Amino acid sequence: MKPHIEKLLATAALAVVVSLLAPGCGQKKSASANNAVSDAERKDMALASFVAPGEKDEYYLFYSGGHSGQIYVAGVPSLRHISTIPVFTPYPGTGYGFDEASKKMLGDYTWGDVHHPALSQTDSLYDGRWLFCNDNANNRVARIDLRDFKTKQILGPIPNASGTHASSFVTENTDYLFLATRFSTPLPRGRVADPKDYAKEFNGMITAVKVDPKDGEMSLAYQILMPPLDFDLCSTGKGPSSGFAFFTSYNTEMAGDLLEVNATQKDRDLAAIVNWKAAAEAAAANKGTVMNGVQVLDPSKVPGILYYVPVGKSPHGMDTDPTGQWIVAGGKLQPSTTVLNIDKIKAAIANKDFDGEFRGVPILNYNSVVEGEVPVGLGPLHTQYDGKGNAYTSLFVDSNITKWKLPPWTDAEKKDLTSVVLDKMPVNFSVGHLVVAGSDTKKPYGKWLVAMNKLSKGRHVSVGPSQPESSQLIDISGDKMKMVAEAYTEPEPHFAQIVAVKDLKPIEVYPKTENKDPNAVWDAKETGVTREGNKVTAKVIAVRSRFIPDRIDANVGDELIVHVTNIEQAGDMIHGFGVNDHNLNVVIDPGETKTFKVKLTKTGVFPFYCTNFCSALHQEMQGYLVVHPEGEPVAKAD
Ligand SMILES: [Cu+2]
């Protein structure tokens, strides 16, 4: 990494010098480190990204929040942060992780590492139902319901898998989503082996998770036992590549230590091509062995489910184009992307056009399946598509986005693939992922590209050493890319999805008729506090601007269970329930019932109050939890 950083610093310093030396001519000095922005350009940029007060964005941008464990929602083109969806980390802003249902989902974990959000698809188009995302740290995957933008399920920890980085990626009709491991361990997990014996004793895993088409409920389908390669990213097929999933990996060397050196020795690494339909059939026919309750297929014993293909050194992204014909791997340690042709892959499989094998699995002949290596620049990571035959690759080392033309190429172009490189746009700095609106569908919206840069060095007012990440909005509607806007986000976006606002239909209140919580109360007469042994149950209504009842009495040592129903049916009438000195805050949306439990360990009178501003008399919306000494008779609540 060090040489990268040094190069980056040098590039940044040079860019600053260049911008300082740029001619004045009445122009304001550049806000960008790369180029001066004239007043005319400044106006163009502002008009392109400006969303006036009262107007709305055209697209949602769902960012992964990396090790913050959350998903962030921003608008495009404004890049304004709109909302945070808590997924793997408690979030008092929405009371997530405080009520019983969300606490149960989180289990004992208080963080996750969200890398790749994936919108559900039907017929290779976003269907607006769910957003899935992975937790690389704790081997989990979550489902967010886009009807209410809430996390509804966390599946995992997935057995036999460590560091599910290459996830979540859905198949063309969301039958499955795939997770592949970045880390390998001795299996079954819990077994100890020496990392010196890494190649022999360690294994990775590809996991297929089944998604129920009715309600999105995820369950483990099957796994494929993999050699100890570090699987990085995945892309699923569509059209001609329907039924396949493609995974990049690094560490073909199978090094168990000092990966910086030992995992970068070979000129090419192996990408895995999974025929997931064949694998599903093999699993259904019990052709694997059961490990920790999951059917695990050994691809050396089940031919036809897995193939390898060599791609550019230390690849990162793996992206299928909107037609399903071209699959592009970004080899971050070589200056080109590798373009695979699915027709040639299928022919090579049919003709057994193999170049040896790796652990009993055929390696497809490189020259037979590769359409070309496009010289995009240094450090290609990810590729996205606009649906008009163009690809956009992020260059980590060069800190730019390269636009290039997808095949089919003319003979002249094939002879010199520099001719298919159409444009380059510098970004600031070290772009990792990028996203084009709708890129992974068969009909991208195009128009906008967001570059998710890894280092924001000096792009914003100083906020001390803990700096945000930088994201830049680029207009890709013309021949040349145009930089339009820049914004910042919490750590740390890895990937994102952009979907048109018109394609989602979120609700604004939970309809009363849909509230099936047996502890919901809608009438003041049904509220109250009851005791059963040491268990005290309160059924409470929250409504502008009071709690009914506004007094709860119990004794120290009791377990207090509170069910709060927000009986509002008006949008944005959200109430909170924060209990003084009890580390407790739930937030209840209109029409929702939430339950929290607390063991009462200290006597006293503890105010509770509405934490989410709700009306002019919000400040008056409060009550008391009276915790009496043990054995003292308890007053009856009003
Ligand atoms: Cu309130």
Side-chain angles (χ1 to χ4, degrees), residues 43-223:
K43 278 180 195 153
D44 281 352
M45 288 168 139
L47 284 175
S49 61
F50 184 61
V51 178
E55 293 177 356
K56 291 174 185 171
D57 281 293
E58 199 180 346
Y59 297 93
Y60 292 101
L61 173 67
F62 292 95
Y63 273 110
S64 72
H67 49 288
S68 75
Q70 319 292 44
I71 292 276
Y72 301 115
V73 187
V76 172
S78 73
L79 288 190
R80 293 183 299 209
H81 174 255
I82 300 171
S83 176
T84 296
I85 304 175
V87 184
F88 296 112
T89 305
Y91 184 57
T94 60
Y96 185 77
F98 293 85
D99 67 292
E100 289 305 302
S102 58
K103 259 165 75 176
K104 192 175 162 202
M105 259 195 313
L106 289 170
D108 294 330
Y109 297 90
T110 54
W111 80 291
D113 189 6
V114 178
H115 276 246
H116 310 110
L119 289 160
S120 58
Q121 300 191 11
T122 299
D123 190 22
S124 299
L125 293 170
Y126 297 147
D127 59 20
R129 301 181 78 190
W130 308 300
L131 181 76
F132 301 94
C133 65
N134 65 325
D135 167 15
N136 183 61
N138 303 306
N139 319 322
R140 296 176 294 169
V141 60
R143 183 185 81 254
I144 294 160
D145 195 329
L146 293 174
R147 185 169 178 256
D148 57 4
F149 283 47
K150 301 262 174 78
T151 304
K152 291 295 164 66
Q153 187 191 2
I154 294 176
L155 180 71
I158 308 276
N160 317 319
S162 294
T164 46
H165 184 271
S167 75
S168 312
F169 296 95
V170 302
T171 55
E172 62 232 273
N173 287 303
T174 320
D175 294 304
Y176 293 94
L177 53 92
F178 286 98
L179 305 87
T181 49
R182 175 180 158 193
F183 308 118
S184 290
T185 61
L187 292 175
R189 289 185 74 189
R191 185 171 75 85
V192 176
D194 193 325
K196 284 184 187 134
D197 300 323
Y198 182 81
K200 189 167 142 267
E201 296 287 349
F202 287 49
N203 276 97
M205 195 68 82
I206 290 175
T207 302
V209 168
K210 185 91 188 107
V211 180
D212 188 306
K214 286 196 302 294
D215 56 13
E217 189 74 8
M218 302 177 288
S219 57
L220 287 172
Y222 61 86
Q223 293 183 312

Side-chain angles (χ1 to χ4, degrees), residues 529-538 554 557-561 597:
V529 183
T530 54
R531 171 181 289 278
E532 211 179 294
N534 275 341
K535 204 168 86 177
V536 173
T537 302
D558 285 344
E559 184 189 39
L560 175 66
I561 302 163
K597 282 185 196 173

Side-chain angles (χ1 to χ4, degrees), residues 361-558:
V361 172
I363 300 173
L364 304 182
N365 195 334
Y366 180 78
N367 291 320
S368 303
V369 299
V370 171
E371 193 69 13
E373 291 183 6
V374 180
V376 288
L378 293 176
L381 289 193
H382 298 277
T383 299
Q384 295 275 284
Y385 309 97
D386 62 8
K388 292 184 255 173
N390 301 306
Y392 301 80
T393 299
S394 59
L395 283 305
F396 181 84
V397 179
D398 279 351
S399 281
N400 75 250
I401 309 292
T402 295
K403 175 181 179 180
W404 53 279
K405 187 184 155 211
L406 281 168
W409 296 313
T410 64
D411 288 342
E413 284 169 341
K414 276 184 201 162
K415 246 182 235 152
D416 175 16
L417 282 177
T418 57
S419 64
V420 305
V421 173
L422 304 174
D423 191 23
K424 292 196 177 191
M425 164 62 70
V427 292
N428 313 88
F429 300 94
S430 299
V431 58
H433 277 279
L434 76 172
V435 61
V436 166
S439 172
D440 48 8
T441 71
K442 68 180 181 185
K443 274 190 202 151
Y445 306 105
K447 175 74 176 164
W448 295 117
L449 181 154
V450 175
M452 284 164 264
N453 309 323
K454 288 296 184 197
L455 297 164
S456 63
K457 289 191 172 301
R459 301 290 296 177
H460 44 78
V461 294
S462 178
V463 289
S466 188
Q467 303 202 6
E469 305 296 335
S470 149
S471 289
Q472 291 176 308
L473 180 70
I474 296 168
D475 179 348
I476 56 165
S477 58
D479 287 342
K480 297 287 174 192
M481 294 178 275
K482 273 193 228 162
M483 179 65 72
V484 166
E486 182 162 5
Y488 307 93
T489 181
E490 309 245 331
E492 175 189 15
H494 291 268
F495 187 42
Q497 299 267 272
I498 298 176
V499 58
V501 168
K502 69 176 172 53
D503 290 339
L504 298 191
K505 301 276 181 285
I507 55 168
E508 300 214 338
V509 300
Y510 293 100
K512 180 181 173 184
T513 49
E514 286 184 20
N515 185 324
K516 305 291 182 216
D517 191 314
N519 296 302
V521 281
W522 297 88
D523 190 314
K525 285 191 224 106
E526 300 163 339
T527 64
V529 183
T530 54
R531 171 181 289 278
E532 211 179 294
N534 275 341
K535 204 168 86 177
V536 173
T537 302
K539 292 188 178 180
V540 178
I541 280 175
V543 65
R544 273 165 290 171
S545 298
R546 63 191 297 196
F547 293 108
I548 312 168
D550 62 359
R551 171 173 178 168
I552 298 170
D553 288 77
N555 293 99
V556 74
D558 285 344

Side-chain angles (χ1 to χ4, degrees), residues 574-576 610 612 614 618 621:
I574 301 160
H575 297 294
C610 178
N612 201 105
C614 57
H618 161 73
M621 191 165 170

